[in-house]
Amino acid sequence: MKALFRSIYELIGAPQPPADTPVYRDVVFPNIGLLNIGISLALVVIFYYVINRMMGVATFNKGRHWAIFLVLNALIAFGIAISQAHAQQVTDHSYIYWLATWNAILGLIWFFLFSLILRKGSTNASTTPF
């Protein structure tokens, strides 16, 4: 699992400064990767199954409502990467913000993929975002 997240998160470059590389590879990358996937899945389930199926809110099924959740997911993913890096007390460097931006982009991708998979189970938003 570490190797998978290492390869995904090192697409933007190796962690800086080099002394912090083991901490990123062993702790930060797996933590933010798993949290990103989990939170993306949770927000998709909330949008499609809690709000648009169980609650039956027929007015919260538009593309703009889906986009609100998409942006919320990206903001959470950005914040998680920064907080995880600071929690591991890595050196404060601009790499943290590049990592957070990349994590937000990956959060957008995860949310979109989970939306494609899980949208058919919703009664009100089965065609959202398309």
Side-chain angles (χ1 to χ4, degrees):
M1 189 63 84
K2 288 180 185 179
L4 172 68
F5 289 122
R6 175 185 171 190
S7 65
I8 291 172
Y9 285 105
E10 285 189 353
L11 287 174
I12 61 169
Q16 297 295 324
D20 290 332
T21 299
V23 175
Y24 279 104
R25 288 179 177 166
D26 294 337
V27 181
V28 177
F29 292 161
N31 285 352
I32 64 174
L34 290 174
L35 283 169
N36 199 0
I37 292 171
I39 290 172
S40 297
L41 180 61
L43 285 174
V44 167
V45 167
I46 289 170
F47 180 77
Y48 286 107
Y49 293 100
V50 175
I51 294 174
N52 284 300
R53 184 173 185 179
M54 292 172 48
M55 292 177 64
V57 181
T59 60
F60 203 76
N61 61 355
K62 307 283 189 270
R64 65 180 176 267
H65 302 125
W66 179 83
I68 290 170
F69 272 77
L70 181 74
V71 170
L72 177 65
N73 185 51
L75 292 173
I76 291 170
F78 186 87
I80 284 173
I82 292 174
S83 68
Q84 285 294 314
H86 287 297
Q88 297 304 318
Q89 299 174 346
V90 296
T91 306
D92 201 15
H93 192 271
S94 64
Y95 179 79
I96 293 172
Y97 298 101
W98 283 109
L99 176 65
T101 303
W102 180 237
N103 197 48
I105 292 168
L106 290 173
L108 295 172
I109 294 168
W110 285 118
F111 188 88
F112 181 76
L113 292 175
F114 287 138
S115 291
L116 292 178
I117 295 168
L118 298 175
R119 70 186 179 139
K120 294 299 179 191
S122 175
T123 53
N124 292 331
S126 62
T127 59
T128 306
F130 309 113

